[in-house]
Amino acid sequence: MSDPKAAEMKQKILDTAMALWNEKGYADATMRELAKRLGMGVSSLYFYFRSKEEIVLYLYRNLNERAIARFRAEKEDADLGKNLVRFLELKLAILEPYRSCCVGIFKEAVDPQSALNPFSSESSDVLDRTVGLFRDLVERSGAGKGDEALRLARVLWFAHLAVILYWLHDRSPESAKTKRMGELLAKGAGMLKMFGGMFGQSEVFDLVSSLFEAGPAPAAPKSAVVPETPPREVDVVVAGAGPIGALYASFLKLQRPRTRILVLERSTEPGHKIGESTLSGFIKALRTVGIRQDVLRRLFYPKNGLGFHHVEESTPDVAQAPEYVLETFNETFQVERRVLDSLVLANARRLGVEVIQGATVDIARSELGRTGDLIRYTVGSREFRVKTTLLVDATGPAGVLSRHLKLHTKEGLTFQTSAVWTYYQNVRSLDKIPGWKGKSQFGRDTYTQHLSLKEGWLWYIPIVSWQEAPSANLDRMIRSVVGARRAPASRDDLAAEYGCPWKDILSVGLVLRSDRDAHLKDDVRAAFEHYSRKYPAIRRLLQGGEVLENYYGTGETFMSRMTMRGYSRQVAGDGWLLVGDAAFFVDPLISPGLTGGTCQAFQAAGETARALDHGGAPREAFAEYEAFVHRLHDALERDNQLVYMSFNHPEATALIQRFQEIDARRHFNETENKDYSIEDTNIWGILTPSYQEMQKRVWAILREEEQAVGTELSVDEQSPRDYERLVARLRDCLGPYVEAHEDLTPYVTQNRR
Ligand SMILES: Cc1cc2nc3c(=O)[nH]c(=O)nc-3n(C[C@H](O)[C@H](O)[C@H](O)COP(=O)(O)OP(=O)(O)OC[C@H]3O[C@@H](n4cnc5c(N)ncnc54)[C@H](O)[C@@H]3O)c2cc1C
């Protein structure tokens, strides 16, 4: 802690927490009570400590460091036994004022799932420091070297913990019996090596040592339910800690700070996911929950708009394709999802949301209802239960609840889409393509580029990749920047300080209409190669780049998602609701995934806060949310289909883009300088009745024309010439409207057909 004021405040919080826990016991005292006693708001307290566990970890660290510093300040001695006794004396003296609190804390620390257990990742630095000291002492005494010294040190650490536990129970005057225990330990220490050798393979030492190796928490026998323990209670359980689950929890915590929210996430840590291009609504939501724009700048690649390039078989190069550049609304980002998901989750924790990773919600064995839910989840092979008023399913494409209730469907969608994608390095920057007149406002790489094809489109998304950063380092780096009041150091400085190397890579994916593509279903890599051969502009674009084989360690170089569009017929019920991809997913085109999910998260959080204030979560409490999600889904589906169908002709693409942009920019301008609010849930003004009316009319024209051409010609035979009538009809319908709003569509276009 370099800031002395913050250090002082932390010490004050610690002292007040100790006093409170002494009075009420650690388990019963809440952060809210602590904030009250300190005379500060809960959110100010969260700035320093996100939970009681963090306060205890701070205490652990603090006391341990003091004991080590005092010990090291004394004269060096080679006698292992004597050194251990002295270290224990110093440590117990430092612990003495906290003795009664320690009992409550130790109760918690025996739980292998608790952050306070000494083997947890959260407290690993404290463990490492003490074991490190003991290892020095072992080596100094000559009892062992290297790995052998480490194993002996770990056994000694166990013994030292036993003495501390003994001390907590010791009622003898001046802890005389503990002193005797220490002396015996000192004698035993001298004989440790011999003791290990007696077992030939040192099996006892191996067993002790294995506890220190990183890995899942020790598992109980399979499906060991612990029915005698009453389930704990929270107000809301969120299943899934993707960005939408985490944002929902964050919005709710900000709106109703007293809400007890538990997020259960199946993965033990965020990993690779698809969904890499963001829009202004999502970034605004991140700022609103407290993530600084300059943190985003350090972690991610910038995105300043969208480019559409109409590519045909005869287009030699993207620079010659008719293009339409949708200029920036404001600064957004092209993101690597492991980093984004970690960031949003770390921030949710900072706000006071509890998160358990490695916890899979077992929906089939949970009970949901008007009067409350009982959620069952497993961590490894252990099963846990939690009582809650509301379950929010944010499990993304898994959509565990809607699939369990058989509500998930793909019915009634005009067409399906499927995707294949991969990652490249050393692809030439778009700004270096010869002959591409740089008319766009920003460098070409800072736009998410779309190569529009009649079968679908190709995405081109440059990414700052932190994939080589070890999880623990990445976690520390993110925790250092999340919630920080000052601008973070530069990307390179962060990388150096936290041991997180980064590099530029490129995400490239093809999304194809199932009614127009016959290749993806057989072999996704072969399909990707087929379209690269078919369209020279794709081949040229990626020329010289290298595919990164199995880059994310998923075992796949070419990843895919088949027939990805789908929705749940119902999105709220008694004691449950769905957010994010669990409610619906449309398509990556024009990137509505994270932005649409954010709208749901915000709406759902508002209605949850109101429902909890009324003491329950019956289905009718979410009636508005339900209606909103269905309207949003229909509107996004239509909007998205408009863009696909507009790829039949470059002028149709430009007209549709301009049409969509008018309401989007108007809406953006009206809400730009405010925090994320209910107005933002009308993404791009898409739900505005006048826009909806025109959207339906335009959709009908595009559909009619596409069907008419389709009855005469196969997709392979079609070219923009066959869609001249479509363009004429769109000009009639949209021309005067877009011309009248030229100020709202600052587009760039060139290479017109
Ligand atoms: C090919 C493709 C490209 C895309 N590109 C974009 C894009 O450029 N921009 C964009 O905005 N969106 C894009 N998306 C969409 C984007 O990926 C999603 O909209 C977004 O990830 C949804 O977030 P979420 O939080 O709802 O779900 P997720 O991020 O999927 O999170 C769900 C979480 O739930 C967890 N989970 C699942 N089951 C359980 C369980 N039983 N118990 C506990 N936890 C569980 C999962 O481990 C996961 O972490 C794309 C999607 C696809 C398919």
Side-chain angles (χ1 to χ4, degrees), residues 439-466:
K439 271 187 162 185
S440 59
Q441 201 180 329
F442 297 91
R444 296 275 182 177
D445 287 317
T446 69
Y447 295 75
T448 292
Q449 303 291 3
H450 303 67
L451 268 57
S452 321
L453 319 170
K454 55 190 169 190
E455 296 92 347
W457 57 289
L458 176 132
W459 80 64
Y460 176 103
I461 303 180
I463 287 176
V464 168
S465 173
W466 301 85

PDB file of all heavy atoms in Angstrom, residues 439-466:
ATOM      1  N   LYS A 439      -9.891   7.136 -46.497  1.00  0.00           N
ATOM      2  CA  LYS A 439     -10.873   8.197 -46.269  1.00  0.00           C
ATOM      3  C   LYS A 439     -11.461   8.164 -44.863  1.00  0.00           C
ATOM      4  O   LYS A 439     -12.066   9.123 -44.423  1.00  0.00           O
ATOM      5  CB  LYS A 439     -12.036   7.997 -47.245  1.00  0.00           C
ATOM      6  CG  LYS A 439     -11.845   8.684 -48.583  1.00  0.00           C
ATOM      7  CD  LYS A 439     -13.150   8.530 -49.334  1.00  0.00           C
ATOM      8  CE  LYS A 439     -13.320   9.482 -50.463  1.00  0.00           C
ATOM      9  NZ  LYS A 439     -14.653   9.351 -51.052  1.00  0.00           N
ATOM     10  N   SER A 440     -11.359   7.010 -44.222  1.00  0.00           N
ATOM     11  CA  SER A 440     -12.055   6.891 -42.938  1.00  0.00           C
ATOM     12  C   SER A 440     -11.370   7.776 -41.897  1.00  0.00           C
ATOM     13  O   SER A 440     -10.184   8.095 -42.021  1.00  0.00           O
ATOM     14  CB  SER A 440     -12.078   5.435 -42.490  1.00  0.00           C
ATOM     15  OG  SER A 440     -10.762   4.973 -42.360  1.00  0.00           O
ATOM     16  N   GLN A 441     -12.158   8.099 -40.888  1.00  0.00           N
ATOM     17  CA  GLN A 441     -11.667   9.057 -39.890  1.00  0.00           C
ATOM     18  C   GLN A 441     -10.489   8.497 -39.088  1.00  0.00           C
ATOM     19  O   GLN A 441      -9.589   9.214 -38.709  1.00  0.00           O
ATOM     20  CB  GLN A 441     -12.844   9.336 -38.954  1.00  0.00           C
ATOM     21  CG  GLN A 441     -12.744  10.606 -38.185  1.00  0.00           C
ATOM     22  CD  GLN A 441     -13.982  10.752 -37.292  1.00  0.00           C
ATOM     23  OE1 GLN A 441     -15.074  10.291 -37.629  1.00  0.00           O
ATOM     24  NE2 GLN A 441     -13.815  11.385 -36.164  1.00  0.00           N
ATOM     25  N   PHE A 442     -10.542   7.175 -38.803  1.00  0.00           N
ATOM     26  CA  PHE A 442      -9.501   6.541 -37.981  1.00  0.00           C
ATOM     27  C   PHE A 442      -8.787   5.474 -38.811  1.00  0.00           C
ATOM     28  O   PHE A 442      -9.231   5.124 -39.904  1.00  0.00           O
ATOM     29  CB  PHE A 442     -10.132   5.868 -36.757  1.00  0.00           C
ATOM     30  CG  PHE A 442     -10.820   6.831 -35.840  1.00  0.00           C
ATOM     31  CD1 PHE A 442     -12.166   7.118 -36.000  1.00  0.00           C
ATOM     32  CD2 PHE A 442     -10.117   7.465 -34.817  1.00  0.00           C
ATOM     33  CE1 PHE A 442     -12.800   8.011 -35.157  1.00  0.00           C
ATOM     34  CE2 PHE A 442     -10.749   8.365 -33.979  1.00  0.00           C
ATOM     35  CZ  PHE A 442     -12.096   8.643 -34.142  1.00  0.00           C
ATOM     36  N   GLY A 443      -7.702   4.930 -38.234  1.00  0.00           N
ATOM     37  CA  GLY A 443      -6.992   3.837 -38.898  1.00  0.00           C
ATOM     38  C   GLY A 443      -7.952   2.680 -39.164  1.00  0.00           C
ATOM     39  O   GLY A 443      -8.821   2.399 -38.342  1.00  0.00           O
ATOM     40  N   ARG A 444      -7.744   2.016 -40.296  1.00  0.00           N
ATOM     41  CA  ARG A 444      -8.706   0.980 -40.710  1.00  0.00           C
ATOM     42  C   ARG A 444      -8.819  -0.178 -39.720  1.00  0.00           C
ATOM     43  O   ARG A 444      -9.854  -0.823 -39.626  1.00  0.00           O
ATOM     44  CB  ARG A 444      -8.288   0.413 -42.069  1.00  0.00           C
ATOM     45  CG  ARG A 444      -8.327   1.420 -43.180  1.00  0.00           C
ATOM     46  CD  ARG A 444      -9.700   1.504 -43.723  1.00  0.00           C
ATOM     47  NE  ARG A 444      -9.753   2.435 -44.844  1.00  0.00           N
ATOM     48  CZ  ARG A 444     -10.838   2.651 -45.554  1.00  0.00           C
ATOM     49  NH1 ARG A 444     -11.940   2.012 -45.281  1.00  0.00           N
ATOM     50  NH2 ARG A 444     -10.837   3.519 -46.544  1.00  0.00           N
ATOM     51  N   ASP A 445      -7.714  -0.477 -39.015  1.00  0.00           N
ATOM     52  CA  ASP A 445      -7.780  -1.609 -38.084  1.00  0.00           C
ATOM     53  C   ASP A 445      -8.672  -1.317 -36.881  1.00  0.00           C
ATOM     54  O   ASP A 445      -9.065  -2.226 -36.158  1.00  0.00           O
ATOM     55  CB  ASP A 445      -6.372  -1.966 -37.569  1.00  0.00           C
ATOM     56  CG  ASP A 445      -5.554  -2.635 -38.655  1.00  0.00           C
ATOM     57  OD1 ASP A 445      -6.096  -3.491 -39.358  1.00  0.00           O
ATOM     58  OD2 ASP A 445      -4.372  -2.281 -38.807  1.00  0.00           O
ATOM     59  N   THR A 446      -8.960  -0.047 -36.666  1.00  0.00           N
ATOM     60  CA  THR A 446      -9.760   0.273 -35.482  1.00  0.00           C
ATOM     61  C   THR A 446     -11.257   0.296 -35.787  1.00  0.00           C
ATOM     62  O   THR A 446     -12.035   0.855 -35.025  1.00  0.00           O
ATOM     63  CB  THR A 446      -9.325   1.611 -34.833  1.00  0.00           C
ATOM     64  OG1 THR A 446      -9.697   2.670 -35.717  1.00  0.00           O
ATOM     65  CG2 THR A 446      -7.833   1.644 -34.561  1.00  0.00           C
ATOM     66  N   TYR A 447     -11.628  -0.302 -36.906  1.00  0.00           N
ATOM     67  CA  TYR A 447     -13.059  -0.531 -37.183  1.00  0.00           C
ATOM     68  C   TYR A 447     -13.261  -2.038 -37.188  1.00  0.00           C
ATOM     69  O   TYR A 447     -12.357  -2.771 -37.624  1.00  0.00           O
ATOM     70  CB  TYR A 447     -13.451  -0.011 -38.569  1.00  0.00           C
ATOM     71  CG  TYR A 447     -13.343   1.493 -38.709  1.00  0.00           C
ATOM     72  CD1 TYR A 447     -12.098   2.099 -38.833  1.00  0.00           C
ATOM     73  CD2 TYR A 447     -14.477   2.287 -38.719  1.00  0.00           C
ATOM     74  CE1 TYR A 447     -11.988   3.475 -38.949  1.00  0.00           C
ATOM     75  CE2 TYR A 447     -14.374   3.666 -38.850  1.00  0.00           C
ATOM     76  CZ  TYR A 447     -13.120   4.253 -38.961  1.00  0.00           C
ATOM     77  OH  TYR A 447     -13.027   5.611 -39.078  1.00  0.00           O
ATOM     78  N   THR A 448     -14.393  -2.527 -36.698  1.00  0.00           N
ATOM     79  CA  THR A 448     -14.680  -3.943 -36.943  1.00  0.00           C
ATOM     80  C   THR A 448     -15.098  -4.021 -38.402  1.00  0.00           C
ATOM     81  O   THR A 448     -16.063  -3.374 -38.819  1.00  0.00           O
ATOM     82  CB  THR A 448     -15.788  -4.458 -36.010  1.00  0.00           C
ATOM     83  OG1 THR A 448     -15.274  -4.474 -34.673  1.00  0.00           O
ATOM     84  CG2 THR A 448     -16.207  -5.878 -36.384  1.00  0.00           C
ATOM     85  N   GLN A 449     -14.321  -4.791 -39.180  1.00  0.00           N
ATOM     86  CA  GLN A 449     -14.565  -4.833 -40.623  1.00  0.00           C
ATOM     87  C   GLN A 449     -15.436  -6.029 -40.978  1.00  0.00           C
ATOM     88  O   GLN A 449     -15.273  -7.113 -40.421  1.00  0.00           O
ATOM     89  CB  GLN A 449     -13.234  -4.922 -41.387  1.00  0.00           C
ATOM     90  CG  GLN A 449     -12.263  -3.783 -41.082  1.00  0.00           C
ATOM     91  CD  GLN A 449     -12.735  -2.428 -41.630  1.00  0.00           C
ATOM     92  OE1 GLN A 449     -13.829  -2.299 -42.206  1.00  0.00           O
ATOM     93  NE2 GLN A 449     -11.930  -1.393 -41.436  1.00  0.00           N
ATOM     94  N   HIS A 450     -16.367  -5.764 -41.881  1.00  0.00           N
ATOM     95  CA  HIS A 450     -17.266  -6.817 -42.373  1.00  0.00           C
ATOM     96  C   HIS A 450     -17.060  -6.944 -43.874  1.00  0.00           C
ATOM     97  O   HIS A 450     -17.229  -5.956 -44.588  1.00  0.00           O
ATOM     98  CB  HIS A 450     -18.730  -6.437 -42.152  1.00  0.00           C
ATOM     99  CG  HIS A 450     -19.085  -6.146 -40.726  1.00  0.00           C
ATOM    100  ND1 HIS A 450     -18.599  -5.068 -40.037  1.00  0.00           N
ATOM    101  CD2 HIS A 450     -19.920  -6.798 -39.873  1.00  0.00           C
ATOM    102  CE1 HIS A 450     -19.093  -5.063 -38.818  1.00  0.00           C
ATOM    103  NE2 HIS A 450     -19.903  -6.104 -38.680  1.00  0.00           N
ATOM    104  N   LEU A 451     -16.678  -8.121 -44.340  1.00  0.00           N
ATOM    105  CA  LEU A 451     -16.665  -8.352 -45.785  1.00  0.00           C
ATOM    106  C   LEU A 451     -18.015  -8.985 -46.121  1.00  0.00           C
ATOM    107  O   LEU A 451     -18.297 -10.112 -45.705  1.00  0.00           O
ATOM    108  CB  LEU A 451     -15.516  -9.293 -46.180  1.00  0.00           C
ATOM    109  CG  LEU A 451     -14.203  -8.599 -46.562  1.00  0.00           C
ATOM    110  CD1 LEU A 451     -13.689  -7.704 -45.473  1.00  0.00           C
ATOM    111  CD2 LEU A 451     -13.154  -9.608 -46.966  1.00  0.00           C
ATOM    112  N   SER A 452     -18.856  -8.224 -46.819  1.00  0.00           N
ATOM    113  CA  SER A 452     -20.226  -8.701 -47.061  1.00  0.00           C
ATOM    114  C   SER A 452     -20.248  -9.618 -48.279  1.00  0.00           C
ATOM    115  O   SER A 452     -19.785  -9.229 -49.357  1.00  0.00           O
ATOM    116  CB  SER A 452     -21.152  -7.515 -47.327  1.00  0.00           C
ATOM    117  OG  SER A 452     -20.833  -6.437 -46.489  1.00  0.00           O
ATOM    118  N   LEU A 453     -20.791 -10.779 -48.096  1.00  0.00           N
ATOM    119  CA  LEU A 453     -20.868 -11.777 -49.166  1.00  0.00           C
ATOM    120  C   LEU A 453     -22.334 -12.126 -49.370  1.00  0.00           C
ATOM    121  O   LEU A 453     -23.140 -11.937 -48.458  1.00  0.00           O
ATOM    122  CB  LEU A 453     -20.135 -13.061 -48.767  1.00  0.00           C
ATOM    123  CG  LEU A 453     -18.806 -12.915 -48.023  1.00  0.00           C
ATOM    124  CD1 LEU A 453     -18.360 -14.273 -47.501  1.00  0.00           C
ATOM    125  CD2 LEU A 453     -17.767 -12.326 -48.957  1.00  0.00           C
ATOM    126  N   LYS A 454     -22.654 -12.740 -50.485  1.00  0.00           N
ATOM    127  CA  LYS A 454     -24.077 -13.090 -50.635  1.00  0.00           C
ATOM    128  C   LYS A 454     -24.458 -14.237 -49.703  1.00  0.00           C
ATOM    129  O   LYS A 454     -25.611 -14.383 -49.325  1.00  0.00           O
ATOM    130  CB  LYS A 454     -24.404 -13.401 -52.099  1.00  0.00           C
ATOM    131  CG  LYS A 454     -23.575 -14.463 -52.741  1.00  0.00           C
ATOM    132  CD  LYS A 454     -23.845 -14.487 -54.234  1.00  0.00           C
ATOM    133  CE  LYS A 454     -22.836 -15.362 -54.955  1.00  0.00           C
ATOM    134  NZ  LYS A 454     -22.918 -15.225 -56.392  1.00  0.00           N
ATOM    135  N   GLU A 455     -23.477 -15.044 -49.291  1.00  0.00           N
ATOM    136  CA  GLU A 455     -23.805 -16.148 -48.367  1.00  0.00           C
ATOM    137  C   GLU A 455     -23.791 -15.700 -46.909  1.00  0.00           C
ATOM    138  O   GLU A 455     -24.220 -16.461 -46.036  1.00  0.00           O
ATOM    139  CB  GLU A 455     -22.786 -17.285 -48.501  1.00  0.00           C
ATOM    140  CG  GLU A 455     -22.757 -17.975 -49.835  1.00  0.00           C
ATOM    141  CD  GLU A 455     -21.742 -17.337 -50.794  1.00  0.00           C
ATOM    142  OE1 GLU A 455     -21.255 -16.228 -50.485  1.00  0.00           O
ATOM    143  OE2 GLU A 455     -21.464 -17.937 -51.837  1.00  0.00           O
ATOM    144  N   GLY A 456     -23.242 -14.551 -46.630  1.00  0.00           N
ATOM    145  CA  GLY A 456     -23.123 -14.105 -45.236  1.00  0.00           C
ATOM    146  C   GLY A 456     -22.081 -13.007 -45.140  1.00  0.00           C
ATOM    147  O   GLY A 456     -22.113 -12.050 -45.896  1.00  0.00           O
ATOM    148  N   TRP A 457     -21.090 -13.193 -44.264  1.00  0.00           N
ATOM    149  CA  TRP A 457     -20.067 -12.154 -44.112  1.00  0.00           C
ATOM    150  C   TRP A 457     -18.862 -12.703 -43.359  1.00  0.00           C
ATOM    151  O   TRP A 457     -18.946 -13.762 -42.713  1.00  0.00           O
ATOM    152  CB  TRP A 457     -20.637 -10.935 -43.377  1.00  0.00           C
ATOM    153  CG  TRP A 457     -21.214 -11.249 -42.018  1.00  0.00           C
ATOM    154  CD1 TRP A 457     -22.367 -11.935 -41.782  1.00  0.00           C
ATOM    155  CD2 TRP A 457     -20.668 -10.926 -40.739  1.00  0.00           C
ATOM    156  NE1 TRP A 457     -22.579 -12.057 -40.431  1.00  0.00           N
ATOM    157  CE2 TRP A 457     -21.552 -11.432 -39.764  1.00  0.00           C
ATOM    158  CE3 TRP A 457     -19.538 -10.237 -40.309  1.00  0.00           C
ATOM    159  CZ2 TRP A 457     -21.336 -11.291 -38.395  1.00  0.00           C
ATOM    160  CZ3 TRP A 457     -19.322 -10.084 -38.944  1.00  0.00           C
ATOM    161  CH2 TRP A 457     -20.219 -10.612 -38.007  1.00  0.00           C
ATOM    162  N   LEU A 458     -17.778 -11.943 -43.457  1.00  0.00           N
ATOM    163  CA  LEU A 458     -16.556 -12.314 -42.743  1.00  0.00           C
ATOM    164  C   LEU A 458     -16.222 -11.191 -41.766  1.00  0.00           C
ATOM    165  O   LEU A 458     -16.299 -10.024 -42.127  1.00  0.00           O
ATOM    166  CB  LEU A 458     -15.415 -12.495 -43.736  1.00  0.00           C
ATOM    167  CG  LEU A 458     -14.039 -12.783 -43.125  1.00  0.00           C
ATOM    168  CD1 LEU A 458     -13.386 -13.962 -43.839  1.00  0.00           C
ATOM    169  CD2 LEU A 458     -13.122 -11.565 -43.230  1.00  0.00           C
ATOM    170  N   TRP A 459     -15.890 -11.566 -40.518  1.00  0.00           N
ATOM    171  CA  TRP A 459     -15.473 -10.506 -39.580  1.00  0.00           C
ATOM    172  C   TRP A 459     -13.951 -10.445 -39.503  1.00  0.00           C
ATOM    173  O   TRP A 459     -13.264 -11.457 -39.659  1.00  0.00           O
ATOM    174  CB  TRP A 459     -16.107 -10.662 -38.211  1.00  0.00           C
ATOM    175  CG  TRP A 459     -15.514 -11.660 -37.252  1.00  0.00           C
ATOM    176  CD1 TRP A 459     -14.275 -11.653 -36.693  1.00  0.00           C
ATOM    177  CD2 TRP A 459     -16.182 -12.819 -36.711  1.00  0.00           C
ATOM    178  NE1 TRP A 459     -14.124 -12.718 -35.840  1.00  0.00           N
ATOM    179  CE2 TRP A 459     -15.273 -13.442 -35.822  1.00  0.00           C
ATOM    180  CE3 TRP A 459     -17.448 -13.368 -36.863  1.00  0.00           C
ATOM    181  CZ2 TRP A 459     -15.588 -14.601 -35.111  1.00  0.00           C
ATOM    182  CZ3 TRP A 459     -17.762 -14.517 -36.151  1.00  0.00           C
ATOM    183  CH2 TRP A 459     -16.853 -15.129 -35.291  1.00  0.00           C
ATOM    184  N   TYR A 460     -13.484  -9.249 -39.237  1.00  0.00           N
ATOM    185  CA  TYR A 460     -12.052  -8.968 -39.120  1.00  0.00           C
ATOM    186  C   TYR A 460     -11.905  -8.114 -37.864  1.00  0.00           C
ATOM    187  O   TYR A 460     -12.313  -6.958 -37.837  1.00  0.00           O
ATOM    188  CB  TYR A 460     -11.617  -8.212 -40.380  1.00  0.00           C
ATOM    189  CG  TYR A 460     -10.173  -7.753 -40.411  1.00  0.00           C
ATOM    190  CD1 TYR A 460      -9.238  -8.440 -41.168  1.00  0.00           C
ATOM    191  CD2 TYR A 460      -9.764  -6.628 -39.707  1.00  0.00           C
ATOM    192  CE1 TYR A 460      -7.906  -8.005 -41.214  1.00  0.00           C
ATOM    193  CE2 TYR A 460      -8.446  -6.203 -39.742  1.00  0.00           C
ATOM    194  CZ  TYR A 460      -7.521  -6.896 -40.499  1.00  0.00           C
ATOM    195  OH  TYR A 460      -6.226  -6.467 -40.542  1.00  0.00           O
ATOM    196  N   ILE A 461     -11.375  -8.728 -36.793  1.00  0.00           N
ATOM    197  CA  ILE A 461     -11.339  -8.037 -35.499  1.00  0.00           C
ATOM    198  C   ILE A 461      -9.932  -8.130 -34.892  1.00  0.00           C
ATOM    199  O   ILE A 461      -9.535  -9.191 -34.398  1.00  0.00           O
ATOM    200  CB  ILE A 461     -12.376  -8.659 -34.513  1.00  0.00           C
ATOM    201  CG1 ILE A 461     -13.783  -8.617 -35.119  1.00  0.00           C
ATOM    202  CG2 ILE A 461     -12.339  -7.969 -33.162  1.00  0.00           C
ATOM    203  CD1 ILE A 461     -14.871  -9.201 -34.218  1.00  0.00           C
ATOM    204  N   PRO A 462      -9.149  -7.049 -34.942  1.00  0.00           N
ATOM    205  CA  PRO A 462      -7.839  -7.083 -34.276  1.00  0.00           C
ATOM    206  C   PRO A 462      -8.019  -7.078 -32.747  1.00  0.00           C
ATOM    207  O   PRO A 462      -8.909  -6.391 -32.220  1.00  0.00           O
ATOM    208  CB  PRO A 462      -7.161  -5.786 -34.728  1.00  0.00           C
ATOM    209  CG  PRO A 462      -7.978  -5.290 -35.874  1.00  0.00           C
ATOM    210  CD  PRO A 462      -9.364  -5.789 -35.646  1.00  0.00           C
ATOM    211  N   ILE A 463      -7.177  -7.844 -32.098  1.00  0.00           N
ATOM    212  CA  ILE A 463      -7.321  -8.013 -30.640  1.00  0.00           C
ATOM    213  C   ILE A 463      -5.958  -7.877 -29.969  1.00  0.00           C
ATOM    214  O   ILE A 463      -4.951  -8.348 -30.501  1.00  0.00           O
ATOM    215  CB  ILE A 463      -7.881  -9.433 -30.355  1.00  0.00           C
ATOM    216  CG1 ILE A 463      -9.347  -9.494 -30.743  1.00  0.00           C
ATOM    217  CG2 ILE A 463      -7.724  -9.833 -28.909  1.00  0.00           C
ATOM    218  CD1 ILE A 463      -9.928 -10.875 -30.577  1.00  0.00           C
ATOM    219  N   VAL A 464      -5.961  -7.278 -28.786  1.00  0.00           N
ATOM    220  CA  VAL A 464      -4.781  -7.347 -27.922  1.00  0.00           C
ATOM    221  C   VAL A 464      -4.952  -8.636 -27.125  1.00  0.00           C
ATOM    222  O   VAL A 464      -5.911  -8.775 -26.361  1.00  0.00           O
ATOM    223  CB  VAL A 464      -4.744  -6.143 -26.956  1.00  0.00           C
ATOM    224  CG1 VAL A 464      -3.695  -6.350 -25.878  1.00  0.00           C
ATOM    225  CG2 VAL A 464      -4.482  -4.856 -27.724  1.00  0.00           C
ATOM    226  N   SER A 465      -4.050  -9.566 -27.323  1.00  0.00           N
ATOM    227  CA  SER A 465      -4.212 -10.865 -26.661  1.00  0.00           C
ATOM    228  C   SER A 465      -3.269 -11.002 -25.467  1.00  0.00           C
ATOM    229  O   SER A 465      -2.066 -10.815 -25.588  1.00  0.00           O
ATOM    230  CB  SER A 465      -3.929 -11.992 -27.645  1.00  0.00           C
ATOM    231  OG  SER A 465      -3.930 -13.216 -26.943  1.00  0.00           O
ATOM    232  N   TRP A 466      -3.854 -11.370 -24.325  1.00  0.00           N
ATOM    233  CA  TRP A 466      -3.093 -11.598 -23.090  1.00  0.00           C
ATOM    234  C   TRP A 466      -3.033 -13.093 -22.780  1.00  0.00           C
ATOM    235  O   TRP A 466      -2.854 -13.491 -21.630  1.00  0.00           O
ATOM    236  CB  TRP A 466      -3.765 -10.870 -21.920  1.00  0.00           C
ATOM    237  CG  TRP A 466      -3.910  -9.404 -22.083  1.00  0.00           C
ATOM    238  CD1 TRP A 466      -4.920  -8.758 -22.718  1.00  0.00           C
ATOM    239  CD2 TRP A 466      -3.027  -8.379 -21.595  1.00  0.00           C
ATOM    240  NE1 TRP A 466      -4.733  -7.389 -22.660  1.00  0.00           N
ATOM    241  CE2 TRP A 466      -3.577  -7.134 -21.965  1.00  0.00           C
ATOM    242  CE3 TRP A 466      -1.832  -8.395 -20.870  1.00  0.00           C
ATOM    243  CZ2 TRP A 466      -2.973  -5.922 -21.647  1.00  0.00           C
ATOM    244  CZ3 TRP A 466      -1.238  -7.183 -20.546  1.00  0.00           C
ATOM    245  CH2 TRP A 466      -1.800  -5.962 -20.945  1.00  0.00           C
TER     246      TRP A 466
END
